[in-house]
Amino acid sequence: VKLYFQNGIWQKDLTDTKTIPDGVVIKSLSSVIASNPTQVLNKFKELDHSLEPMLALNQAEVFDGIELDIQQDLILDDPIEFIYLNNNEAFKNKDKTCQVANYRHILNIAKGANVKIVEHVDSSFATPSEKAIAHPKNILLNNIVWQIDLAEAARLDYLHYGKRHANPTDDLANANALVHYVKVNQAKD
């Protein structure tokens, strides 16, 4: 399953829903917020953002992300991929030099389940026309927060992939930055 995100929003239309295995429920965080804001607010309160300014920014400005539920004893052989399309689209007709895309992902992995997550933060996924609008003084900051609850005997394998550049202007399409915050709660086995 490949989940695509662009400028703070899950691009559900790019997800092939036929590839979502039985026992996996994927919801847009924006739809969960709209249907049950109290539940989401309580989940957000689990993280103390008082000493983490980027976490506080994420909580205040998050637009979207994923709520992902994996059923009990489900073992997924193939990873669920989170792909961030950093195309600097946010800068068209704007004077801003830094745009922040805030994502919040909530994962609930039930007892005995086994899942692999692969996260791609790489502008090479953008189309050539999207790369052409990048500008060296335009930086897209991905502020990604993960809240992960692993039940007893659940397992999560997580791989983050992102290009790092000593000088982002050498590759204008990759003039992006990343703030990453991961909080995992694991039930005792």
Side-chain angles (χ1 to χ4, degrees):
V1 178
K2 293 182 180 182
L3 308 174
Y4 293 89
F5 302 85
Q6 181 176 26
N7 301 329
I9 306 294
W10 175 34
Q11 302 299 310
K12 188 175 182 178
D13 58 319
L14 296 177
T15 301
D16 182 0
T17 56
K18 294 175 189 167
T19 64
I20 299 173
D22 291 338
V24 175
V25 178
I26 301 172
K27 297 182 233 171
S28 163
L29 188 61
S30 60
S31 67
V32 176
I33 291 170
S35 65
N36 195 344
T38 304
Q39 173 194 355
V40 175
L41 183 59
N42 288 337
K43 187 69 178 173
F44 283 10
K45 287 180 181 178
E46 290 178 9
L47 300 179
D48 179 10
H49 64 275
S50 62
L51 299 175
E52 299 283 346
M54 295 308 292
L55 184 56
L57 175 65
N58 180 281
Q59 184 161 320
E61 298 288 331
V62 69
F63 293 118
D64 209 357
I66 293 295
E67 181 179 78
L68 177 66
D69 296 310
I70 308 294
Q71 81 176 21
Q72 184 172 332
D73 297 321
L74 180 65
I75 297 174
L76 297 178
D77 294 323
D78 295 322
I80 298 173
E81 297 182 60
F82 288 68
I83 302 169
Y84 303 91
L85 302 171
N86 298 331
N87 65 3
N88 291 329
E89 179 71 24
F91 298 111
K92 283 186 175 178
N93 304 317
K94 293 185 180 179
D95 292 331
K96 293 183 178 180
T97 57
C98 183
Q99 181 72 24
V100 180
N102 293 288
Y103 300 98
R104 179 76 61 115
H105 303 306
I106 299 171
L107 279 64
N108 302 301
I109 303 172
K111 181 178 180 179
N114 187 334
V115 63
K116 298 170 189 75
I117 301 289
V118 177
E119 183 178 43
H120 304 272
V121 181
D122 183 354
S123 297
S124 64
F125 289 102
T127 67
S129 63
E130 290 169 338
K131 288 181 180 181
I133 65 169
H135 188 279
K137 67 178 187 175
N138 293 340
I139 304 296
L140 176 62
L141 172 66
N142 286 292
N143 185 6
I144 304 168
V145 174
W146 292 80
Q147 287 184 258
I148 303 169
D149 289 320
L150 293 167
E152 180 180 322
R155 179 178 171 162
L156 170 67
D157 293 322
Y158 171 83
L159 173 66
H160 170 82
Y161 168 78
K163 288 188 177 177
R164 303 279 190 249
H165 298 275
N167 182 359
T169 58
D170 289 344
D171 182 355
L172 297 181
N174 284 302
N176 298 291
L178 172 67
V179 175
H180 211 240
Y181 188 93
V182 179
K183 172 69 173 173
V184 179
N185 295 316
Q186 171 84 55
K188 291 183 180 181
D189 288 342

